[in-house]
Amino acid sequence: MVRMLRPLTRAVTYKRWLHIVVAIVWPSLWLFVEEAWWTQVTAAVLLGLAGLVPITRVVEGFQARLLLIGHRQGGGDSGEIVTTPSVTWADRGRTVAWLETRLVLGWIVAHLSVQLPLLAVDLATTAFGTEPAGDGFVPVKGPHWWHALLAPLPLLLLAVVVVGAGHLTAALAKRLLGPSPAERMAALEERTEQLLERTRIARELHDSIGHALTVAVVQAGAARAAGDPAFTDRALSAIEETGRTALEELDRVLGILRESEKPVSGRPTLEDADRLLESARTSGAKVDAEVTGPVETVPGPVSREGYRILQEALTNVLRHAGAVPAQVRIRVTGDTLVLAIRNPLPEPISVPGRGTGGGSGLRGIRERAALLGGRARTGPDEGDWQVHVELPLS
C-alpha cells in the first residue's frame, strides 16, 4: 500500500501534472472568442505550425527537462531530452507530434482533474439527501447511503490518472524530444573521442610522472642510506634532471587535456598535419613528407585519429631517435588511408616504447587503428623503425 502511494509523495508527480495542464492554457483562450469546434481546430493547427519553428524544440526541451524528468531518472541534465533547435524535417515532425499529443493529453487530464473531484462531491452530498452540486459528466441521483462508500473512488481514479499520465508524458518526451539518430551518433563519437583522450592521458601520466617519481624516491632513499656527500650530490643531480623531464612531460599532457575539452568538430585533422611536420622540423628532425590523394575527403573520425597517430609517431621519433631523417607518407587510395613513418635507428638500436620513458604510445597507435577497424605494424624494418597504419574510410 505504501509503495502504491509513494508516487503521490514525489514532487515530480505534481510537476508533470502542471506540465500537462499548462499545455491547454493558450488553446483555452480561444474559448473566450467563440465556443465552437473550429476555434479549437484553429488552435491545434497554429500549434502545429509553431512546432515547425526550430527554436520551439529548445523551449519544449527545457520545459520537459525541468518538469518531467525527476532526479531519480537523471535530473535536469539528462541527455534523454535535447535542448537544441530542430535541424532536419524529421526533428520538426517529432516536435509537432509532441505538441499535438501534449495538447490532447492536456484536454483529457484537465477535464478529468475537474470532473472527478466534482463526482466525488456529488456522491458524498447525495448520500445524505442533498441535491448534487452540479451537472457532472456522470449524473448522480439520490439519496442513497451507499454513495458515501463510492465517494473516494473518483479521487483514487484521479490519482491513477495523474500518475499514469505523468509517466506517459515523460516517456513520450524522451521519444519525441530525444536526440535523433544523427545526434546520437555525434554524441557517441564525441564521447568515444573523450574516452580515448582520457585513456591516453592516464597512460602517459602513469608512464612519465609515475616513472619520474619512482626514480626520485629511489635516489633519495639511496642517498640517505649511503651517507656519502659525493653520492648525495650525484643523486640530487639525478633527481633534478628527472624532475625537469617530468615537468616537461606534465606540460605536454596538460596541453592534451586542455585540447580534449574542445568539441570534436574543432579538433585537428590530417588537414592540419603541416603543423605537426613543422614542429618536428623545428625540433631538429629532417622530415621528408609526401601527401598523396584527397586528404580533405577523409571522414572526420578517421582523419582525427590519423592526426593523433601521426603525432604519436613523430613524438617517438624525436624522443627515441633524436634529430634524424624521417620519412612521412600519407596516402588516400580508394577506401583506405595509409600512414607510413620511417626513421633510422641509432646504434645501439633503441626501440620506441621500450626505452626509458617510452610509455605505451605504440599500444595507443594499435588501439586507435583497431577501434576504426584498421591495422597497424610497428617495429624495426631493414635498419629503420617503421610505423605503418592502414585505416578504412568506410
Side-chain angles (χ1 to χ4, degrees):
M1 185 65 178
V2 175
R3 185 176 180 181
M4 294 177 61
L5 295 176
R6 187 174 300 164
L8 298 178
T9 65
R10 297 175 57 194
V12 69
T13 299
Y14 302 98
K15 290 195 297 182
R16 289 172 176 173
W17 190 10
L18 174 64
H19 183 271
I20 295 171
V21 174
V22 164
I24 67 165
V25 171
W26 177 78
S28 296
L29 296 178
W30 286 75
L31 293 176
F32 291 98
V33 179
E34 184 176 349
E35 292 189 16
W37 63 269
W38 64 266
T39 60
Q40 298 307 303
V41 172
T42 303
V45 171
L46 292 176
L47 198 62
L49 293 176
L52 298 178
V53 179
I55 198 66
T56 303
R57 190 181 185 217
V58 178
V59 177
E60 292 297 319
F62 276 116
Q63 284 188 45
R65 281 191 175 191
L66 178 64
L67 297 176
L68 295 181
I69 305 301
H71 292 292
R72 296 182 185 180
Q73 295 175 300
D77 295 328
S78 173
E80 294 177 296
I81 297 177
V82 298
T83 55
T84 56
S86 300
V87 177
T88 65
W89 283 106
D91 293 338
R92 294 183 177 93
R94 291 192 302 143
T95 304
V96 171
W98 160 253
L99 291 173
E100 300 295 351
T101 303
R102 185 183 170 199
L103 178 62
V104 173
L105 282 175
W107 280 117
I108 295 173
V109 174
H111 183 69
L112 292 177
S113 297
V114 174
Q115 293 294 335
L116 288 175
L118 288 178
L119 177 58
V121 171
D122 287 347
L123 288 171
T125 55
T126 55
F128 299 98
T130 306
E131 290 297 323
D135 295 329
F137 72 126
V138 176
V140 178
K141 297 180 180 180
H144 299 289
W145 65 267
W146 45 269
H147 282 182
L149 301 178
L150 298 179
L153 294 182
L155 299 179
L156 292 176
L157 180 58
L158 176 60
V160 172
V161 169
V162 170
V163 174
H167 283 292
L168 176 60
T169 306
L172 288 173
K174 293 174 185 178
R175 185 170 184 85
L176 298 177
L177 296 179
S180 64
E183 290 169 329
R184 291 183 187 277
M185 286 298 297
L188 179 61
E189 178 185 320
E190 184 171 354
R191 178 61 177 166
T192 301
E193 183 76 10
Q194 290 174 349
L195 290 176
L196 284 171
E197 291 300 330
R198 289 178 183 178
T199 300
R200 178 181 176 182
I201 290 168
R203 184 167 57 238
E204 293 196 6
L205 282 175
H206 176 271
D207 291 340
S208 60
I209 308 303
H211 171 77
L213 290 176
T214 300
V215 170
V217 170
V218 171
Q219 291 283 354
R224 185 177 60 179
D228 182 358
F231 183 85
T232 300
D233 287 342
R234 290 195 299 273
L236 290 175
S237 297
I239 292 173
E240 181 183 4
E241 182 63 28
T242 302
R244 185 179 295 110
T245 303
L247 286 175
E248 293 174 357
E249 289 291 316
L250 182 59
D251 286 340
R252 185 172 64 86
V253 172
L254 290 179
I256 297 174
L257 181 60
R258 287 190 294 270
E259 185 178 320
S260 69
E261 295 175 355
K262 297 180 181 178
V264 171
S265 59
R267 299 196 188 173
T269 64
L270 282 176
E271 293 185 67
D272 305 305
D274 286 344
R275 69 186 188 188
L276 279 181
L277 302 175
E278 188 60 32
S279 176
R281 293 187 181 108
T282 302
S283 300
K286 304 174 181 63
V287 181
D288 175 24
E290 180 180 322
V291 180
T292 306
V295 176
E296 66 278 1
T297 64
V298 177
V302 179
S303 189
R304 284 188 287 272
E305 292 303 308
Y307 179 93
R308 293 303 186 193
I309 290 171
L310 178 60
Q311 183 183 52
E312 187 63 45
L314 290 175
T315 299
N316 279 338
V317 172
L318 295 172
R319 183 184 299 172
H320 301 286
V324 298
Q327 291 184 350
V328 176
R329 300 291 182 263
I330 303 173
R331 297 196 303 274
V332 180
T333 57
D335 59 352
T336 304
L337 169 66
V338 179
L339 299 172
I341 300 92
R342 299 180 68 93
N343 63 275
L345 290 169
E347 295 292 340
I349 290 178
S350 172
V351 179
R354 295 184 182 178
T356 301
S360 50
L362 297 181
R363 185 169 68 248
I365 290 175
R366 290 190 288 268
E367 288 175 353
R368 289 180 185 275
L371 183 66
L372 295 173
R375 56 184 179 177
R377 298 196 310 271
T378 59
D381 180 61
E382 298 180 356
D384 290 339
W385 178 266
Q386 73 158 352
V387 174
H388 187 88
V389 179
E390 297 180 10
L391 303 176
L393 300 181
S394 60

